[in-house]
Amino acid sequence: MAKGLQGCSCTMLLLFCAIQELGSWAMHTAVQGPGLGEPGDPALLAGGRVKRGWVWNQFFVVEEYTGTEPLYVGKIHSDSDEGDGSIKYTISGEGAGTIFLIDEITGDIHATERLDREQKTFYTLRAQARDRQTDQLLEPESEFIIKVQDINDSEPRFLEGPYIGSVAELSPIGTSVMQVMASDADDPTYGSSARVVYSVLEGEQHFTVDSKTGVIRTAVADLDRETQDRYEVVIRATDMAGQLGGLSGSTTVTIVVTDVNDNPPRFPQKMYQFSIVETAPVGTAIGRVKAEDSDVGENTDMTYQVKDEEGVEMFKVTTDSNTQEAVITVQKPLDYESKKVHTVVVEALNKFVDPRFVDLGTFRDQTIVRVSVLDVDEPPEFRPPSNLMEVQEDAHVGSVVGVVTALDPDTANHPVRYAIDRSTDAERIFDIDAKTGAIVTGKVLDRETAGWHNITVLAMEADNHSQVSRASLRIRILDVNDNPPELATPYEAAVCEDAKPGQLIQTISVVDRDEPQSGHRFYFTLAPEATNNHHFSLLDIQDNTAAVHTQRVGFNRQEQDVYLLPILVVDSGPPALSSTGTLTIRVCGCDSNGAIQSCNSTAYVVSATLSPGALIALLVCVLILVVLVLLILTLKRHHKSHLTSEDDEDMRDNVIKYNDEGGGEQDTEAYDMSALRSLYDFSEIKAGDGGGGPGEGGPGRNPASELHALPQWVQSPDLDFSVFRDYICRKVEQADEDLSVPPYDSFQTYAFEGSDSPVPSLSSINTWSSGSEQDFSYLGGWGPRFRQLAALYAGRRGDEDGEES
């Protein structure tokens, strides 16, 4: 390579010298502007002499020069240069002074560094010719270009890798997979350095590549994903059009073989066996089977179905979309006694079939599933399953309504016992024979009270009552004619005094609680006691209604204002029943148009006032209100007298009760002591009455010690407190006698003492020791909070010692 570069450089130097000899390199001595002398320029002289100036050609330098000496690029020269060294040549621009150096005297240009065309293809520089003495330009500055000449130093590269392509299995030969492209950094306009061709290094058995376009195609038609699902193909790109000495690069292309539905489903086994108890409810899963498919993705989606008639009737097959398994479930109740083994043919077939591969075979497979039914102890079964019975409502107690039958379906055929679920027949209207299952009436029936009865009959094995079956039974009570017809309402009619014969007064209808199957038919006549009636007539209209008409001319309210007409109503039976109803007819005064103006006074008042029941209710309410008012007044008077008696006895009008606990001995701000001291001075009262009775300080009591903390008060000679003193003494005696009631002060009774107290009790109540036997000096070591308590007990101890002495 180095020898080639040197030879190329020598060729370029010779060419450049020839150009120097043949061209007219000249330099303009006068400053007339830069540029090349053009053919039409008036500056052209006679005899072919050209105006002096710069005349340039492009300089070329080969890239990647590896010689030890600087590479000669070219020479610049002025025709005014006489070789005496008076002209200094300089260059400026890209790489001037670093990459390119010029000899100031000769104008020779050399390259001092290795150049790379792939990084920079040319350099633009400017040349100057200056007078060495004055450093003035002898010619205007001119620009020239140094081009870097390409050599094949860059190999092709695949810049878009890694490459991953895909092709469907069983694709025909020549199917396009993908295209790869390599890039060469060499100059595509110079030689064949950038002309790339492609070839397959590895994987040529299954794939080919187009040498010019880089398109990869299949080389075989039997690519099978199930055998090999991916291939690693190595593609090589070579420049110099593949000639000897060209550079090359390679890349690995991953080709994934995609799946097509070319494999049918196959059951791993030709027979499967499952078992299930006969009492399994409908919808219970028996088991799962799965057909294998070598394909992937949606090509493995399949459906299952039952092919034989017996299996379709008894079992159902569904497909689990997540696992692609066939789920076999019970479709009809199983019976071990009827059939112990069932055989089911299950077929699996692909959901999506590719028509291109139909000739490969049927895309379905079958297997046999044997289902064994296991025997269990079952409860009795009712046969036949009729749930309707009928009985006449006039049936006697103990009459048979019907018989229910239940059998044990097991092979042992245990005897069956019957019972009625009393939660459905709480009134025990029906009974059942425990052995025969005969249902009989237990009470008198009445269809008008309850026309239907719904009861639950239990059937159980005689020796195992846990095996129970239930059957709902509906009993219909058939009607018999046991209720006579009655008038629909207590009819009342009115007739005008001037009524004419044949005038319609009232249309009546009846009701009957019975419901004969052929429907009602009623007959109307006047009762026998109305045979002498000449005032009104009764007409049976034959539609279960009757009409009452007048039979005479005019009526007189003064003679008779009310007529009572008894009517006999008879039904169609059997047996025929009848009843008598009364129609009340009032005689009223009417206007000329027949409108009623007024009837008799009694009828008018009753119709215009409230009914007797409403009047009684109103009177009761008024009476209750009066009693309540009297009761309230009595309670108020009693309460007032009670308060007055209490006020007379209780003189504590200004006593203030404190129910909260204070802050202790040190809390001196909870109340104002000065307000208490300014009231009375009980010490002086006590001093003046010192010789009083027990309530005033008798023997054994020290008034000074008891009253030293009371507020001081200056006694007024006009005040007499004997009444208050007697009252207080009386209350104190009552409080002392009643031990269960605490006095009205701040003392509290503590009836419970906690356990495991680290400090012994301070109370002297209920103790066997006397005050003289206890030493309270240890209270002084309990801290400042108990200082006042210690002082009190220490003072008490000193008093006791003084009394003993």
Side-chain angles (χ1 to χ4, degrees):
M1 177 67 71
K3 292 180 178 180
L5 292 175
Q6 290 178 354
C8 182
S9 301
C10 295
T11 304
M12 292 297 298
L13 291 174
L14 292 175
L15 179 62
F16 182 72
C17 292
I19 291 174
Q20 281 185 323
E21 294 295 332
L22 294 177
S24 36
W25 290 79
M27 180 172 288
H28 201 303
T29 54
V31 181
Q32 297 180 357
L36 179 66
E38 298 180 358
D41 197 325
L44 293 176
L45 302 177
R49 186 176 178 184
V50 183
K51 176 184 175 182
R52 289 179 297 177
W54 298 109
V55 179
W56 301 114
N57 279 325
Q58 291 182 349
F59 293 161
F60 295 90
V61 58
V62 66
E63 67 171 336
E64 302 295 343
Y65 171 70
T66 58
T68 58
E69 297 294 332
L71 178 62
Y72 181 75
V73 177
K75 183 182 182 68
I76 60 175
H77 186 73
S78 174
D79 56 357
S80 62
D81 186 1
E82 298 179 355
D84 55 358
S86 60
I87 296 177
K88 181 176 70 174
Y89 298 99
T90 59
I91 58 175
S92 62
E94 297 177 338
T98 56
I99 300 176
F100 302 103
L101 299 178
I102 186 171
D103 190 316
E104 295 181 353
I105 298 175
T106 62
D108 294 334
I109 301 175
H110 292 81
T112 61
E113 296 181 6
R114 292 179 59 180
L115 304 180
D116 188 358
R117 192 204 65 82
E118 286 72 30
Q119 294 183 358
K120 192 171 181 63
T121 57
F122 64 89
Y123 296 85
T124 303
L125 295 94
R126 292 175 296 277
Q128 303 92 23
R130 297 177 179 274
D131 186 276
R132 187 176 296 275
Q133 298 296 330
T134 62
D135 198 33
Q136 292 184 352
L137 286 174
L138 301 178
E139 285 290 341
E141 184 179 71
S142 182
E143 188 176 90
F144 65 97
I145 295 174
I146 299 177
K147 283 191 173 183
V148 181
Q149 190 174 11
D150 184 47
I151 63 173
N152 190 20
D153 60 340
S154 298
E155 72 278 1
R157 295 183 178 181
F158 294 92
L159 303 179
E160 298 179 3
Y163 294 91
I164 299 177
S166 63
V167 63
E169 62 176 331
L170 301 181
S171 297
I173 297 176
T175 301
S176 176
V177 180
M178 64 179 303
Q179 184 181 14
V180 295
M181 294 185 65
S183 177
D184 196 320
D186 292 326
D187 190 358
T189 62
Y190 180 76
S192 301
S193 299
R195 290 184 58 189
V196 179
V197 294
Y198 302 94
S199 60
V200 179
L201 283 183
E202 296 180 11
E204 64 275 6
Q205 306 93 316
H206 303 93
F207 300 95
T208 61
V209 64
D210 189 290
S211 61
K212 295 181 179 180
T213 61
V215 176
I216 302 174
R217 302 178 185 276
T218 58
V220 293
D222 58 350
L223 292 176
D224 187 10
R225 188 203 63 81
E226 288 73 29
T227 304
Q228 185 174 350
D229 61 352
R230 66 176 56 227
Y231 294 88
E232 304 289 339
V233 181
V234 179
I235 304 297
R236 179 173 62 185
T238 308
D239 59 10
M240 297 297 293
Q243 297 179 5
L244 186 65
L247 304 179
S248 63
S250 63
T251 187
T252 300
V253 180
T254 302
I255 300 176
V256 179
V257 181
T258 59
D259 184 58
V260 296
N261 194 7
D262 60 337
N263 294 283
R266 291 288 181 265
F267 283 103
Q269 301 173 212
K270 288 302 179 183
M271 180 178 291
Y272 295 86
Q273 291 189 356
F274 299 101
S275 60
I276 188 171
V277 295
E278 61 176 334
T279 56
V282 174
T284 303
I286 300 174
R288 292 172 175 248
V289 297
K290 183 178 181 181
E292 303 294 340
D293 194 330
S294 301
D295 297 322
V296 294
E298 68 175 11
N299 295 323
T300 61
D301 293 347
M302 59 187 73
T303 57
Y304 298 90
Q305 58 186 4
V306 179
K307 295 299 294 181
D308 61 309
E309 296 181 359
E310 178 190 359
V312 170
E313 182 181 359
M314 299 298 299
F315 303 98
K316 181 181 179 181
V317 176
T318 57
T319 304
D320 189 332
S321 58
N322 295 325
T323 62
Q324 297 300 317
E325 293 177 318
V327 182
I328 305 171
T329 56
V330 178
Q331 186 163 305
K332 295 184 75 173
L334 302 174
D335 187 11
Y336 172 82
E337 289 72 24
S338 300
K339 192 169 186 179
K340 299 177 177 61
V341 179
H342 296 269
T343 301
V344 185
V345 178
V346 179
E347 182 182 65
L349 62 156
N350 278 131
K351 186 181 295 185
F352 307 104
V353 178
D354 196 333
R356 296 177 299 172
F357 308 105
V358 174
D359 55 347
L360 297 178
T362 58
F363 284 78
R364 61 183 63 201
D365 193 21
Q366 293 182 351
T367 188
I368 298 175
V369 179
R370 290 174 57 88
V371 180
S372 299
V373 182
L374 304 179
D375 184 29
V376 295
D377 189 6
E378 299 175 274
E381 294 179 355
F382 286 93
R383 299 177 185 176
S386 175
N387 62 347
L388 177 62
M389 291 184 181
E390 295 179 344
V391 62
Q392 296 285 342
E393 66 173 321
D394 59 350
H396 299 289
V397 175
S399 300
V400 177
V401 179
V403 179
V404 293
T405 303
L407 300 175
D408 185 7
D410 299 324
T411 55
N413 194 15
H414 297 95
V416 179
R417 297 292 180 262
Y418 303 93
I420 295 178
D421 186 354
R422 289 305 173 186
S423 64
T424 61
D425 185 25
E427 299 180 1
R428 295 184 175 270
I429 299 175
F430 301 96
D431 293 322
I432 189 171
D433 190 290
K435 294 183 179 180
T436 64
I439 299 175
V440 297
T441 58
K443 289 185 177 181
V444 177
L445 304 177
D446 185 10
R447 189 204 63 83
E448 287 71 32
T449 303
W452 288 87
H453 294 273
N454 297 320
I455 64 174
T456 300
V457 180
L458 308 178
M460 63 201 77
E461 294 181 3
D463 55 350
N464 185 7
H465 288 182
S466 63
Q467 295 296 332
V468 181
S469 294
R470 297 172 178 268
S472 297
L473 185 62
R474 302 172 69 239
I475 301 177
R476 180 183 180 183
I477 310 301
L478 300 179
D479 183 47
V480 295
N481 194 23
D482 57 347
N483 292 283
E486 299 174 351
L487 293 182
T489 61
Y491 287 102
E492 291 187 2
V495 61
C496 295
E497 287 183 298
D498 56 351
K500 298 179 180 180
Q503 183 176 345
L504 177 64
I505 299 176
Q506 181 70 44
T507 300
I508 62 176
S509 60
V510 297
V511 293
D512 194 337
R513 297 175 63 190
D514 296 323
E515 291 183 0
Q517 295 181 356
S518 59
H520 289 289
R521 179 68 181 94
F522 303 111
Y523 304 94
F524 300 87
T525 61
L526 291 177
E529 57 267 26
T531 54
N532 297 326
N533 169 57
H534 301 288
H535 306 290
F536 304 97
S537 63
L538 179 67
L539 177 62
D540 191 344
I541 308 178
Q542 305 295 324
D543 62 350
N544 295 334
T545 62
V548 179
H549 297 81
T550 59
Q551 203 174 7
R552 75 176 217 183
V553 178
F555 295 88
N556 189 351
R557 283 190 293 173
Q558 303 300 327
E559 295 179 359
Q560 186 175 354
D561 57 355
V562 176
Y563 293 88
L564 301 177
L565 185 64
I567 300 174
L568 178 65
V569 184
V570 184
D571 60 15
S572 58
L577 301 178
S578 63
S579 68
T580 301
T582 301
L583 171 63
T584 302
I585 303 174
R586 301 185 184 277
V587 180
C588 302
C590 303
D591 58 9
S592 59
N593 296 325
I596 296 175
Q597 296 295 324
S598 63
C599 295
N600 58 351
S601 57
T602 305
Y604 179 79
V605 171
V606 171
S607 61
T609 58
L610 297 175
S611 63
L615 291 175
I616 293 174
L618 183 60
L619 292 175
V620 170
C621 292
V622 172
L623 181 61
I624 292 174
L625 290 176
V626 171
V627 171
L628 288 176
V629 170
L630 294 176
L631 181 61
I632 292 173
L633 293 176
T634 304
L635 291 176
K636 284 187 175 180
R637 179 174 297 177
H638 178 70
H639 184 64
K640 184 176 181 181
S641 61
H642 179 68
L643 291 178
T644 305
S645 61
E646 287 185 354
D647 293 341
D648 294 340
E649 294 181 3
D650 194 356
M651 302 299 293
R652 296 170 296 148
D653 294 339
N654 299 322
V655 176
I656 301 175
K657 299 181 180 179
Y658 295 92
N659 295 328
D660 57 330
E661 184 177 355
E665 306 291 345
Q666 298 176 355
D667 186 4
T668 59
E669 298 180 0
Y671 51 88
D672 188 4
M673 292 295 296
S674 61
L676 298 178
R677 292 193 181 97
S678 63
L679 294 177
Y680 306 104
D681 189 358
F682 289 98
S683 59
E684 297 184 4
I685 295 175
K686 289 292 182 178
D689 297 336
E696 301 172 359
R701 303 186 66 177
N702 189 355
S705 62
E706 293 180 359
L707 301 177
H708 69 278
L710 293 177
Q712 300 297 321
W713 172 68
V714 179
Q715 181 179 1
S716 175
D718 298 332
L719 296 179
D720 185 10
F721 292 99
S722 59
V723 177
F724 299 101
R725 187 182 304 107
D726 295 340
Y727 173 78
I728 293 174
C729 292
R730 186 169 63 254
K731 289 297 182 179
V732 170
E733 291 176 357
Q734 293 178 0
D736 292 340
E737 293 175 358
D738 190 358
L739 299 179
S740 61
V741 178
Y744 293 97
D745 52 23
S746 60
F747 287 98
Q748 298 292 335
T749 302
Y750 296 91
F752 177 80
E753 183 177 358
S755 61
D756 296 335
S757 175
V759 180
S761 175
L762 299 178
S763 175
S764 61
I765 302 174
N766 296 332
T767 59
W768 293 103
S769 61
S770 63
S772 59
E773 295 178 357
Q774 299 185 24
D775 185 9
F776 299 101
S777 60
Y778 59 87
L779 295 177
W782 283 14
R785 289 181 177 273
F786 298 92
R787 185 176 300 142
Q788 190 168 358
L789 181 63
L792 290 175
Y793 274 89
R796 179 179 177 183
R797 181 68 176 177
D799 295 340
E800 292 178 356
D801 293 342
E803 291 177 359
E804 292 177 358
S805 61

